[in-house]
Amino acid sequence: MSGGNIKDFDEITSFLGDYGFFQYLIMVVLSLSTITCGYTGTIVVFVSDTPEHHCRVSGNSTRNGTDVEQSSWIGPDSCSRYKVHGNWTETAGPSNDTEPCLDGWVFSRERYTATIVSEWDLVCDSAWKVPFSTSLFFVGVLIGSFISGHLSDRFGRKPVFFATMALQTVTPLIQASSVSWVMFCVLNCLRGVGQISNYITSLVLGSEILRSRARMSFSLLGHSLGFGFGYALLPLFAFFIRGWRMLLVASAIPGFLFIPAWWLIPESPRWLLQKGRLEEAEMVIRTAAKRNGVPAPEIIFRTDECMELTKTKDEEEHTYSFLDLIRTPNMRNITILSVIIWMSTSMVFYGLSLNTSNLNGNAYLNCFISAAIDILTYIATWVLVNHVSRPTLLFSMLTFCGIMLLVIMLLPEDMQVMLQVLALVGKIGVSAAYCLIYVFFTELIPTVVRNMGLGVASTAARIGSIICPYVIYMGEYSKILPYIVFGAVSIMAATVSMLLPDTRNSKLPDLTSQARPIRGCCCPKETAEAQSDATVKA
């Protein structure tokens, strides 16, 4: 086996160093790109919130000079009204009989000038349309997770990154002009496609360009913090922009700022090498060396390395597909565990994030606190990740979250403040797990199927995200029921996470034969190494 083949990519590019102008440029630009992803996924908290409302009253709208629509006589609840006998007068008034809101509803404008709920009367019998529209966003995320990995592995990380950035930017502009709820839902789905595709592709692109130490800082600190800052900007945007249409327009504007990044961000050299495009990969590395001010070797890849890489390219074109994620025991085990863990973690993370508007107190403040918790958690995870094994850290985070959420069912119903505190504290655990799984599984899945593998895992995560709005909706009947579900799911994910192998201080695997066995797996590590050697010598 040649000492300079694709497996030793980090050694070949060691002359660049871990940190330099080139690495910082990649980390900053790609991390900033996730700001848009941060608020795109949670903007529904304000766009689809349900303001206080009551039935519109027909007939004379005043009684003793008082607006009837502000009267407590309107109806027993927000979905019915008392039948009125004649016009409102001193003697004529409502009876004890009720009827549906035949003339529509009046919505409070105290918090919002308009949301999609007040725009299209999505309350009472139509209330199901609110969680349904949110689920359609995650259906789009599911589709994006599934197709972006294949497109990125086939056509390259860079074109898919910028194409999905464009989709994520243009779609909300069109969505802001929606003339119906159906049009809004279709565009919500497209917005989901762009959001997750852009997020995953930027992570993979940065991870494959950067070396081990810089990759860890980028994945856990830069990439996750960008997402967290985007989430934190959302309540600030929403506080000053109270109408849903203008809020969507404002959310699209930052995307246009990334147009110049096309000339700053290169294609992944690892992907180029796997495709046999050695000259382009070498050009990327030489450009990096120039930006870092370090000399590059006269020949970066020797002729024999080129022959091996060309063979790798041919093998990939003929064999690498989604089936390779389950073809060998090691890859199959990793894929199955990734599906379970990502689905569970995403359901709980988005469930707690989207539920902030249902907590007591100011919705803007709750959302900001939730975002601030995420940011602090990402920093803490970055500090811990190199000192604790990956499986242990993931297990601890998810278990902590599960315990905090399950404790809620022991609280008396009137202790709403304590419920809110425990929910936000529990979010610390799942937020840490959510950012860690991207790093963890990037290190577990080989380069040749990495984007496809992350795409499948993210697709599973979106199934959890699609379900979570309905779990939240269960809170209409019991405040603690969603937390019990989320807590149980978190504990389950924590349990299976201990089966994963530790990837701390390890190189990124490039070939499927380099996939690590899970703990207690019937396929021992020696078998995987033998497969790897056989593949290289073939």
Side-chain angles (χ1 to χ4, degrees):
M1 183 174 64
S2 173
N5 63 34
I6 190 61
K7 298 176 188 176
D8 298 318
F9 177 83
D10 283 348
E11 282 76 11
I12 293 173
T13 59
S14 61
F15 62 90
L16 292 176
D18 287 317
Y19 295 100
F21 178 78
F22 173 76
Q23 286 92 340
Y24 285 124
L25 180 68
I26 297 297
M27 293 168 69
V28 169
V29 175
L30 291 180
S31 296
L32 289 176
S33 74
T34 63
I35 290 178
T36 56
C37 299
Y39 56 69
T40 297
T42 50
I43 198 170
V44 65
V45 168
F46 300 103
V47 168
S48 301
D49 198 13
T50 302
E52 292 185 7
H53 57 281
H54 56 72
C55 288
R56 189 181 298 279
V57 178
S58 60
N60 189 0
S61 61
T62 60
R63 178 172 180 257
N64 288 339
T66 302
D67 188 348
V68 168
E69 292 176 346
Q70 302 301 318
S71 168
S72 61
W73 290 75
I74 292 168
D77 55 50
S78 60
C79 293
S80 62
R81 67 184 186 186
Y82 294 115
K83 289 184 178 179
V84 178
H85 299 293
N87 291 329
W88 282 95
T89 65
E90 289 296 324
T91 57
S95 70
N96 289 329
D97 297 327
T98 60
E99 62 184 1
C101 299
L102 301 177
D103 299 308
W105 291 263
V106 175
F107 292 88
S108 169
R109 294 168 64 90
E110 181 181 354
R111 182 180 295 175
Y112 311 105
T113 57
T115 70
I116 65 167
V117 175
S118 61
E119 183 97 9
W120 295 307
D121 289 344
L122 306 183
V123 292
C124 301
D125 290 342
S126 296
W128 63 270
K129 294 182 177 180
V130 180
F132 183 79
S133 65
T134 303
S135 287
L136 278 181
F137 171 83
F138 290 111
V139 169
V141 173
L142 185 151
I143 295 170
S145 302
F146 190 75
I147 65 172
S148 66
H150 181 70
L151 292 175
S152 180
D153 284 335
R154 182 170 182 179
F155 299 108
R157 298 5 179 171
K158 180 177 177 178
V160 173
F161 170 73
F162 284 97
T164 53
M165 174 65 77
L167 179 63
Q168 189 180 208
T169 301
V170 173
T171 304
L173 290 177
I174 303 173
Q175 190 178 28
S177 62
S178 296
V179 295
S180 68
W181 173 76
V182 173
M183 179 179 175
F184 176 87
C185 286
V186 171
L187 291 166
N188 224 28
C189 187
L190 280 178
R191 199 159 51 84
V193 172
Q195 190 254 8
I196 194 61
S197 301
N198 186 256
Y199 185 80
I200 292 180
T201 307
S202 65
L203 176 66
V204 172
L205 180 57
S207 297
E208 292 184 350
I209 291 175
L210 300 169
R211 285 164 51 79
S212 180
R213 286 178 57 199
R215 180 170 64 244
M216 191 58 55
S217 297
F218 163 70
S219 301
L220 277 179
L221 200 58
H223 202 257
S224 297
L225 279 182
F227 187 90
F229 281 127
Y231 184 17
L233 286 174
L234 174 62
L236 299 179
F237 275 43
F239 182 79
F240 293 105
I241 306 173
R242 299 298 180 98
W244 71 272
R245 294 183 187 271
M246 285 308 300
L247 184 58
L248 284 173
V249 171
S251 73
I253 294 174
F256 290 102
L257 302 178
F258 287 92
I259 294 176
W262 176 267
W263 292 273
L264 298 176
I265 301 295
E267 180 57 270
S268 163
R270 285 179 181 268
W271 179 83
L272 290 170
L273 290 170
Q274 290 292 348
K275 290 295 182 180
R277 294 158 62 174
L278 305 181
E279 292 182 3
E280 295 174 61
E282 189 161 313
M283 186 178 298
V284 170
I285 296 170
R286 291 192 185 280
T287 301
K290 184 177 179 181
R291 287 180 175 173
N292 281 0
V294 297
E298 185 177 344
I299 300 176
I300 298 179
F301 299 104
R302 299 196 304 273
T303 305
D304 56 339
E305 296 164 356
C306 295
M307 292 172 62
E308 289 178 359
L309 291 169
T310 302
K311 186 180 71 174
T312 302
K313 173 194 172 188
D314 293 337
E315 288 174 350
E316 183 212 359
E317 288 180 346
H318 286 93
T319 62
Y320 291 139
S321 66
F322 285 106
L323 290 177
D324 283 280
L325 296 174
I326 57 173
R327 196 181 301 278
T328 64
N330 290 346
M331 281 304 307
R332 183 163 54 249
N333 291 331
I334 289 173
T335 301
I336 292 172
L337 290 178
S338 71
V339 167
I340 297 172
I341 293 170
W342 281 60
M343 183 186 296
S344 304
T345 304
S346 182
M347 178 195 290
V348 179
F349 176 80
Y350 277 104
L352 296 180
S353 296
L354 297 179
N355 199 43
T356 51
S357 61
N358 294 329
L359 296 175
N360 290 337
N362 187 292
Y364 302 101
L365 183 60
N366 288 339
C367 186
F368 183 80
I369 292 173
S370 179
I373 286 173
D374 286 357
I375 292 171
L376 293 175
T377 300
Y378 297 151
I379 296 173
T381 305
W382 174 67
V383 172
L384 290 172
V385 74
N386 286 322
H387 299 89
V388 183
S389 76
R390 307 277 197 269
T392 302
L393 189 58
L394 185 58
F395 171 82
S396 303
M397 294 166 175
L398 289 172
T399 301
F400 175 77
C401 174
I403 291 173
M404 290 297 104
L405 297 183
L406 290 177
V407 165
I408 290 176
M409 67 180 177
L410 304 177
L411 296 177
E413 290 187 6
D414 58 345
M415 297 186 65
Q416 293 299 314
V417 174
M418 184 58 68
L419 182 151
Q420 185 170 343
V421 169
L422 286 174
L424 290 173
V425 171
K427 191 169 187 290
I428 293 174
V430 76
S431 296
Y434 190 71
C435 76
L436 179 61
I437 58 176
Y438 279 93
V439 179
F440 197 177
F441 285 91
T442 296
E443 295 173 341
L444 283 171
I445 302 172
T447 300
V448 291
V449 290
R450 181 168 295 120
N451 239 42
M452 282 189 284
L454 288 177
V456 168
S458 189
T459 298
R462 299 326 136 194
I463 295 174
S465 303
I466 291 167
I467 296 171
C468 81
Y470 294 98
V471 178
I472 294 171
Y473 192 63
M474 291 162 60
E476 296 286 328
Y477 307 99
S478 172
K479 284 282 187 182
I480 65 169
L481 194 54
Y483 298 111
I484 295 174
V485 174
F486 291 142
V489 168
S490 187
I491 293 292
M492 179 197 70
T495 303
V496 300
S497 68
M498 286 304 292
L499 295 173
L500 292 169
D502 189 16
T503 58
R504 190 170 36 147
N505 302 321
S506 300
K507 298 176 184 177
L508 284 181
D510 286 301
L511 304 174
T512 54
S513 56
Q514 296 172 320
R516 289 167 168 264
I518 65 170
R519 300 181 184 184
C521 178
C522 59
C523 179
K525 184 175 181 181
E526 290 76 17
T527 302
E529 291 174 344
Q531 291 172 349
S532 175
D533 290 340
T535 301
V536 173
K537 293 175 182 177

